């Protein structure tokens, strides 16, 4: 018997495809982590704007907590009853705040001067110089 045959006996055959996909995902995550760890964090943060730095920190924290969630699940611990669930929710809240800040930056800004000129010109105002004089003022006689 080969080693693969021995491994097949350790778990049900129905989950073999799931385990193979999981292993492939783990290898992919490991490669990404190695790439991230190869660059100095200080060097990376220098290149980013403050909002981008916050996004990087949040994504890193979320990824680590998600991996811990998966670790708990593999150890037979229910992660929904573990404090890691609250931590993930807290990080998600901050991610939403960062998204709101980004959306505010993208939103168009009001030019108050242009808006006031637009409103002023859109409203009708009588011009006393161009208005004909009233009939009453024309009938007033001058006294000598």
């Amino acid at each position: 018997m080969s080693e693969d045959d021995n491994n097949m006996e350790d778990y049900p055959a129905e989950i073999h495809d799931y385990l193979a996909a999981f292993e492939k995902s783990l290898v992919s995550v490991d490669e990404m982590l190695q790439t991230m760890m190869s660059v100095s964090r200080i060097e990376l943060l220098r290149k980013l704007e403050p909002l981008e730095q916050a996004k990087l920190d949040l994504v890193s924290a979320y990824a680590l907590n998600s991996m811990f969630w998966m670790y708990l699940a593999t150890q037979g611990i229910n992660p929904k009853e573990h404090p890691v669930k609250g931590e993930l929710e807290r990080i998600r809240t901050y991610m939403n705040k960062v998204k709101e800040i980004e959306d505010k930056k993208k939103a168009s800004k009001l030019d108050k001067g242009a808006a006031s000129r637009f409103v002023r010109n859109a409203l009708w105002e009588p011009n006393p110089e161009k208005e004909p004089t009233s009939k009453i003022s024309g009938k007033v006689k001058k006294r000598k």
Side-chain angles (χ1 to χ4, degrees):
M1 262 195 192
S2 70
E3 188 176 330
D4 289 337
D5 292 338
N6 285 337
N7 287 343
M8 291 293 286
E9 293 175 11
D10 291 345
Y11 57 88
E14 302 87 41
I15 64 169
H16 178 72
D17 291 337
Y18 295 113
L19 289 175
F22 182 68
E23 183 179 18
K24 184 178 177 182
S25 296
L26 283 177
V27 169
S28 176
V29 167
D30 186 45
E31 289 171 0
M32 284 188 244
L33 284 174
Q34 293 300 326
T35 303
M36 282 185 64
M37 300 299 277
S38 68
V39 179
S40 168
R41 180 169 172 74
I42 294 170
E43 182 182 322
L44 182 62
L45 290 177
R46 271 192 219 137
K47 296 177 183 178
L48 299 174
E49 294 179 11
L51 192 59
E52 297 296 321
Q53 291 175 4
K55 286 170 59 174
L56 177 67
D57 289 340
L58 288 169
V59 167
S60 299
Y62 194 83
L64 289 172
N65 280 284
S66 295
M67 285 190 278
F68 186 67
W69 176 288
M70 289 184 280
Y71 170 76
L72 291 174
T74 61
Q75 298 302 307
I77 300 170
N78 185 357
K80 292 178 182 177
E81 297 172 359
H82 194 274
V84 74
K85 180 180 181 195
E87 185 66 13
L88 284 168
E89 289 173 1
R90 185 181 72 82
I91 294 168
R92 233 180 273 126
T93 301
Y94 285 113
M95 289 174 128
N96 288 335
K97 287 182 181 182
V98 168
K99 185 175 181 337
E100 287 175 14
I101 291 169
E102 283 184 323
D103 290 346
K104 284 181 183 178
K105 277 186 167 184
K106 291 177 185 176
S108 60
K109 302 211 180 348
L110 176 65
D111 183 356
K112 291 180 183 177
S116 64
R117 289 189 301 273
F118 177 76
V119 171
R120 183 184 64 235
N121 292 330
L123 296 175
W124 178 80
E125 290 182 19
N127 191 345
E129 295 174 6
K130 295 182 181 179
E131 286 291 314
T133 56
S134 66
K135 294 179 183 179
I136 297 172
S137 63
K139 293 182 179 180
V140 176
K141 295 183 180 180
K142 292 184 184 177
R143 291 188 175 177
K144 290 187 182 179

